Amino acid sequence: MAWQGLAAEFLQVPAVTRTYTAACVLTTAAVQLELLSPFQLYFNPHLVFRKFQVWRLVTNFLFFGPLGFSFFFNMLFVFRYCRMLEEGSFRGRTADFVVMFLFGGVLMTLLGLLGSLFFLGQALTAMLVYVWSRRSPLVRVNFFGLLTFQAPFLPWALMGFSLLLGNSILVDLLGIAVGHIYYFLEDVFPNQPGGKRLLLTPGFL
């Protein structure tokens, strides 16, 4: 009965959040069970463009490392802020939310080439948090009961905590940078004199 209630609750989660979170958890579970290896998932331009292992363009966003505190920490932020975006500013605009994921994924992949980054899921998380925080500037956030501050400071607090966990802040900075570019193109530039929306959602979505 408990599993049925949990499944019913999960099915109430918006589609994009549900799909991405489930894909991350299943990918990590497959690695943990040794059905997959991280070496089959990481982003490698040579293997993508020379060996046509195109799945790496997606799988590098799905693996957050082995089961542990860092994994659960990232999953908490992915689920929470992805859901808040999808149920908030993207309510009824699932296609636009998918475009945000695609825009972020493509730009992070291109910039990741410069920094030799192999897994970009953490950068995508930072992007989601950044966009939510800029669209919720008056919300006060309680960070694990330790600090309370306005939402726009959350991405930087998250980066600091990531540093404490021993992760590279380069990935977080990449996510914040891409999140800021998206926010500028969607929320700032269209409201400027002569500005307009540049990220148009394709009709087939």
Side-chain angles (χ1 to χ4, degrees), residues 99-139:
V99 167
M100 175 183 154
F101 264 75
L102 293 174
F103 172 81
V106 170
L107 192 53
M108 285 175 202
T109 299
L110 293 175
L111 294 175
L113 287 170
L114 303 177
S116 298
L117 301 175
F118 303 117
F119 290 102
L120 295 171
Q122 189 176 322
L124 185 59
T125 303
M127 175 188 173
L128 294 171
V129 171
Y130 184 88
V131 173
W132 174 84
S133 71
R134 293 305 298 265
R135 290 182 172 180
S136 310
L138 301 180
V139 175

